[in-house]
Amino acid sequence: MEFVASFSGGKDSLMAIKQTLERGGRLVAIIVSTREDMKTSWTHGLDKEYYKKVADILRCEVIFTDTDIDNYEKEFEAALEKSKKLGARACVFGDIDILQHLSWNKRRCDNVCIECIHPLMFKNRSEIVEDFLNSDLKAKIKKLDENKLAKDMLGRDFDREFIESIKKIEGVDVCGENGEYHTVVDPYSIRKVLGAEIYVDNASTCYPKAPGVSTRVSEFIDNESFSINRGTYMKAYNLSSKVIDVRDKIAKFLHAPKDYVTIFSPSATEAINMNLRGYLSKGDEIIVDERMHNSSWRTVEYLKNKDVSVKIWSEKNGEKSSSFGLRSDSKKESIDIEKHSSLNDKPLYESENLEEENKKYDISELKNLITEKTKLVFITLTDNITGHYLEEAEEIGRICEEKNIYYVIDGVQSICEREINIEKLKADAFILSGHIGLMGPEGIAASVIKEDMAKNIDALIYGGTGSQSNSPNMPESLPDKLEAGTMSTPMIMAMGAAIDYIESVGLRNIIGKKHSLGKKLRAGLKDIDGTIVSGHGSFCSLSMKNQDDAMVAFNIDASRKIMTRVGIQCSPCTHMVEGSFPNGSIRFTLGYFNNEYDVAEIIDAIKYIESSF
């Protein structure tokens, strides 16, 4: 269950969050009751920067009320409404047993139709204190009632010594529930207890997903699992309209012109197969880039075996166009590992610098590859090893338009890594996946295709569509022609929810944070002796001169809970371009829910390994 929490900064509100997380909940936001001066919180008087830091550690959003006492109820409910848009279906409070507080919380939640949860309700107050002290959480006394406690208690550690001292004072509650004292929890202890796991394999699949994604899937399965295009009842018709809305949402997100159609598929791999194999036939010619993912490379190899001519556009004066078995002639060969084993001895990415400029490709060489047989140009906009972005993408679009050649883009790694504008790119088809940059679910992808190209693509999969059911042939109408079988409507709805979240946070904010973290990580790792580092944007590819990369990745997971990926990462083509084949590298890919503490921990972990062995 996705939930929001009312968070004061004190021990009880944090313990309520901790218990809900331990029960399997997903925190999407914290609500902080802040004064109308927009600087500090009510009750605890903490600065906003403290709460921003805690939200970053807890990998969630922060919602400030910024209100005076007269409008407090109204603004708190407005904050609850905001959290609902993020996917929250419950609000968690740290109140224990004061009925006035419990009732106030319940009324606020009831008014916005969100569940009210009090994990600490009616628990023994001494037990709550004991649970906190038995954890690794740390707190200090932030405020106190000077009529009940001595001034010199202010700023003291909230520890057993403090608890024993107040137990001796008559009329003082051990938990401070009557306002005797207020605590502030140390953010770094929060990180140790609740934010220690570091996931940096976001180029494989994002984690965590965007808030609202899991809630949308759950709500769909519970309330909307109907058969679109088949059911002759209003709920099925309404669902069909919602699927159309998501199609339009994706097209709008990518700035596609009106004559484009969104086609869903179970994966980007299937979408690539559909766009390439569904269009090209024997005797045709395709031009591809040299940084392909295996989903593209293996598809192109299949086409080559079916007598489709394949040409590689590579770096100027490079000798890599044939290094991974793709040639412009009719020879059919595979990767020769022995042939490239010498690459293991040469430094990787030696020309990389902190300015992170992408390698430039000579557009004139692409023009020279085009012949009368060329039917399609297919490029990887952002590779999945270093995050290299093909800056010449728009110019390729203009060339293809002039030559009347279809232009297809693998944009899987570009979503929320760059701002995408299909109209500027002049791409005839753009392929994206739900589970990577979009921060959505696995099992769903989309091709945003110009209608005239889609009409020329032959269906790869045949079967039911819910339309023209009396015909043995696939319908020619779009999208039915290319969407056989029962669609994964829960994942489609979740894909729409992910876009809603991205737009609520702001695409540029997401890209900016990811790129900033990526740059700091690369800079920090480059300062460590024995490391070879490359990357762009949120990508960081690391190899250790004196260590086995696989063992390094294993060790940082076992000792620091840093989850990353090591090896070829499904793109031997890119590793050959970068000179890192056949060993590959350790790849760190930062996501929106990573933070500077993650980056510092990764750098420290690598530094420790390099200095210890």
Side-chain angles (χ1 to χ4, degrees):
M1 177 189 67
E2 293 183 294
F3 71 97
V4 63
S6 177
F7 181 64
S8 65
K11 60 176 176 38
D12 296 336
S13 60
L14 187 67
M15 289 299 286
I17 292 172
K18 180 176 181 288
Q19 288 193 22
T20 310
L21 290 172
E22 289 172 346
R23 292 169 184 169
R26 161 80 188 281
L27 179 65
V28 298
I30 53 174
I31 295 176
V32 180
S33 298
T34 42
R35 299 176 182 275
E36 59 184 327
D37 63 6
M38 298 186 292
K39 293 179 181 179
T40 57
S41 64
W42 287 93
T43 309
H44 287 62
L46 298 172
D47 188 86
K48 278 187 173 182
E49 290 306 311
Y50 168 82
Y51 295 103
K52 291 176 183 178
K53 182 182 292 187
V54 171
D56 213 19
I57 288 169
L58 293 174
R59 309 184 198 284
C60 70
E61 301 297 322
V62 58
I63 303 171
F64 297 109
T65 59
D66 293 339
T67 182
D68 59 24
I69 195 66
D70 293 332
N71 293 320
Y72 182 64
E73 291 184 358
K74 177 183 175 182
E75 294 303 323
F76 192 90
E77 289 179 11
L80 287 175
E81 290 285 5
K82 289 179 183 178
S83 70
K84 283 181 67 177
K85 291 180 180 179
L86 295 174
R89 290 299 172 263
C91 184
V92 167
F93 298 87
D95 296 280
I96 303 172
D97 54 16
I98 297 177
L99 293 180
Q100 182 182 355
H101 296 169
L102 300 177
S103 298
W104 188 92
N105 298 340
K106 183 71 163 54
R107 287 196 300 274
R108 303 288 76 73
C109 292
D110 286 348
N111 287 346
V112 297
C113 299
I114 193 170
E115 186 178 355
C116 181
I117 298 178
H118 295 101
L120 308 183
M121 188 168 62
F122 301 132
K123 285 194 172 184
N124 182 283
R125 296 184 184 184
S126 294
E127 288 183 6
I128 294 172
V129 169
E130 193 65 22
D131 287 345
F132 186 92
L133 294 177
N134 286 336
S135 73
D136 285 325
L137 293 167
K138 305 296 180 186
K140 287 184 179 295
I141 308 305
K142 172 61 179 174
K143 292 179 68 176
L144 51 78
D145 183 343
E146 294 181 7
N147 293 319
K148 296 182 178 180
L149 297 176
K151 287 183 180 181
D152 62 4
M153 287 186 169
L154 192 65
R156 281 185 59 177
D157 289 337
F158 180 77
D159 54 17
R160 295 188 189 282
E161 183 180 346
F162 173 79
I163 294 301
E164 290 303 317
S165 65
I166 66 171
K167 281 182 178 179
K168 299 174 183 177
I169 305 173
E170 186 177 352
V172 173
D173 176 54
V174 69
C175 216
E177 187 70 355
N178 300 309
E180 293 91 341
Y181 67 89
H182 296 288
T183 56
V184 55
V185 184
D186 173 51
Y188 300 101
S189 73
I190 297 175
R191 172 171 170 74
K192 181 179 180 181
V193 175
L194 300 177
E197 288 189 345
I198 302 173
Y199 181 85
V200 276
D201 191 21
N202 289 283
S204 294
T205 192
C206 68
Y207 180 82
K209 307 300 182 188
V213 166
S214 65
T215 294
R216 187 67 187 94
V217 173
S218 176
E219 288 181 343
F220 178 91
I221 292 172
D222 287 342
N223 305 306
E224 299 176 89
S225 286
F226 308 113
S227 185
I228 65 168
N229 300 338
R230 278 87 163 167
T232 51
Y233 40 88
M234 287 308 299
K235 286 191 174 181
Y237 296 144
N238 290 338
L239 181 58
S240 295
S241 296
K242 290 179 180 179
V243 171
I244 291 171
D245 290 342
V246 177
R247 293 187 199 275
D248 292 343
K249 192 176 291 186
I250 292 169
K252 182 181 178 183
F253 180 70
L254 299 175
H255 301 282
K258 292 183 178 180
D259 59 339
Y260 281 66
V261 59
T262 301
I263 306 293
F264 291 113
S265 58
S267 67
T269 298
E270 186 168 311
I272 289 168
N273 274 265
M274 178 188 75
N275 281 277
L276 302 190
R277 291 174 54 201
Y279 176 64
L280 297 168
S281 56
K282 182 178 180 178
D284 289 342
E285 185 174 88
I286 180 176
I287 299 172
V288 300
D289 71 282
E290 59 180 348
R291 293 175 176 266
M292 291 182 289
H293 186 274
N294 277 350
S295 56
S296 306
W297 176 47
R298 289 171 177 171
T299 304
V300 170
E301 282 288 299
Y302 169 87
L303 289 169
K304 194 172 67 170
N305 291 332
K306 295 296 181 181
D307 294 319
V308 171
S309 177
V310 178
K311 291 182 176 178
I312 314 300
W313 181 40
S314 61
E315 292 179 54
K316 186 177 180 181
N317 299 324
E319 297 179 357
K320 305 183 183 76
S321 61
S322 62
S323 64
F324 46 87
L326 291 173
R327 295 178 181 270
S328 57
D329 56 28
S330 60
K331 291 182 180 179
K332 301 170 184 177
E333 58 183 34
S334 301
I335 289 181
D336 183 349
I337 294 179
E338 207 171 296
K339 175 180 176 183
H340 295 285
S341 61
S342 61
L343 293 174
N344 190 30
D345 299 323
K346 55 188 283 194
L348 308 184
Y349 324 125
E350 54 193 3
S351 63
E352 179 70 6
N353 59 67
L354 292 181
E355 296 303 315
E356 303 170 336
E357 294 180 358
N358 285 301
K359 295 178 181 178
K360 301 298 182 182
Y361 285 74
D362 190 340
I363 204 74
S364 64
E365 291 198 358
L366 174 67
K367 291 179 180 179
N368 292 336
L369 293 175
I370 296 174
T371 69
E372 293 181 357
K373 290 183 178 182
T374 306
K375 294 292 184 70
L376 191 147
V377 172
F378 176 77
I379 67 150
T380 307
L381 190 58
T382 302
D383 79 52
N384 76 312
I385 306 299
T386 69
H388 173 278
Y389 179 82
L390 194 61
E391 301 285 357
E392 297 79 11
E394 289 187 24
E395 195 167 355
I396 297 170
R398 290 191 289 270
I399 293 169
C400 289
E401 186 178 54
E402 292 170 4
K403 300 287 186 179
N404 199 28
I405 298 168
Y406 283 136
Y407 179 32
V408 179
I409 293 178
D410 172 1
V412 168
Q413 298 294 345
S414 298
I415 302 300
C416 287
E417 188 68 20
R418 298 277 180 154
E419 293 185 79
I420 302 300
N421 189 312
I422 289 179
E423 188 167 21
K424 286 184 179 180
L425 289 167
K426 296 185 179 296
D428 295 289
F430 187 97
I431 298 163
L432 70 153
S433 177
H435 71 104
I436 300 181
L438 203 64
M439 298 184 284
E442 291 87 341
I444 191 68
S447 301
V448 181
I449 314 177
K450 198 169 186 179
E451 287 182 0
D452 72 331
M453 178 178 178
K455 290 175 181 177
N456 288 311
I457 293 176
D458 292 332
L460 293 184
I461 308 296
Y462 292 78
T465 59
S467 61
Q468 300 181 29
S469 296
N470 60 337
S471 172
N473 301 313
M474 288 296 290
E476 288 299 317
S477 59
L478 296 169
D480 296 22
K481 172 186 175 183
L482 302 174
E483 289 181 345
T486 300
M487 299 170 65
S488 182
T489 38
M491 300 301 102
I492 292 171
M493 294 297 105
M495 207 173 183
I499 292 176
D500 289 341
Y501 175 75
I502 291 166
E503 291 180 341
S504 71
V505 173
L507 178 59
R508 290 189 177 183
N509 292 332
I510 292 171
I511 294 173
K513 181 180 180 183
K514 289 168 62 176
H515 285 202
S516 174
L517 293 175
K519 188 170 185 178
K520 288 178 181 178
L521 178 59
R522 291 188 294 274
L525 292 177
K526 284 180 180 181
D527 285 340
I528 302 172
D529 290 338
T531 62
I532 305 160
V533 181
S534 182
H536 309 270
S538 66
F539 288 71
C540 178
S541 191
L542 167 73
S543 186
M544 307 286 286
K545 294 178 182 178
N546 305 314
Q547 309 288 338
D548 179 270
D549 288 348
M551 287 305 300
V552 171
F554 175 83
N555 285 333
I556 62 176
D557 178 35
S559 63
R560 309 279 188 118
K561 299 181 181 179
I562 299 170
M563 294 169 274
T564 185
R565 188 168 175 184
V566 65
I568 296 296
Q569 296 103 3
C570 290
S571 188
C573 302
T574 304
H575 279 294
M576 288 181 182
V577 173
E578 294 292 331
S580 47
F581 184 82
N583 284 357
S585 63
I586 307 169
R587 184 189 65 190
F588 302 94
T589 41
L590 287 303
Y592 177 64
F593 296 105
N594 287 119
N595 52 55
E596 292 187 3
Y597 312 105
D598 296 342
V599 170
E601 186 73 14
I602 294 168
I603 294 169
D604 188 67
I606 299 300
K607 189 179 295 183
Y608 176 79
I609 288 174
E610 179 58 28
S611 64
S612 300
F613 297 96

